């Protein structure tokens, strides 16, 4: 059974965050921090993982990621960052 992960990255250097989901957090994190050659996260390296949530289905993970990108979800992320 596949497991899906919703993750929040934070770039302390640029005070930016990024929310995404994947079925392979380690490889995705490597991509964001080292291997990727294009995309939004390239400009704001280095990233650190500040939050992860695990789901049994891709649809659940996608729903949670979408929620975290709403106003209420952004407040949740802001509080996470504030408490680092």
């Amino acid at each position: 059974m596949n497991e899906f992960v919703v993750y929040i990255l934070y770039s302390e250097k640029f005070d930016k965050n990024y929310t995404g989901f994947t079925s392979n957090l380690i490889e995705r994190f490597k991509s964001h921090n080292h291997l990727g050659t294009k995309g939004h996260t390239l400009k704001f390296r280095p990233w650190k993982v500040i939050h992860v949530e695990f789901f049994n289905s891709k649809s659940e993970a996608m729903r949670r990621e979408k929620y975290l990108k709403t106003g209420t979800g952004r407040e949740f992320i802001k509080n996470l960052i504030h408490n680092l």
Side-chain angles (χ1 to χ4, degrees), residues 3-62:
E3 185 172 59
F4 294 89
V5 180
V6 172
Y7 60 92
I8 301 170
L9 304 178
Y10 181 63
S11 171
E12 198 168 7
K13 182 177 180 180
F14 295 98
D15 192 30
K16 297 280 184 189
N17 67 73
Y18 178 86
T19 303
F21 81 94
T22 184
S23 61
N24 189 335
L25 183 60
I26 302 300
E27 289 304 313
R28 191 70 180 120
F29 183 65
K30 283 183 197 174
S31 176
H32 284 305
N33 250 356
H34 304 291
L35 303 176
T37 59
K38 61 183 179 179
H40 174 77
T41 59
L42 181 67
K43 311 181 257 199
F44 303 110
R45 291 175 177 167
W47 295 97
K48 65 180 178 178
V49 178
I50 62 166
H51 185 75
V52 295
E53 297 178 12
F54 297 90
F55 297 90
N56 292 321
S57 74
K58 183 177 180 178
S59 62
E60 288 176 299
M62 291 173 72

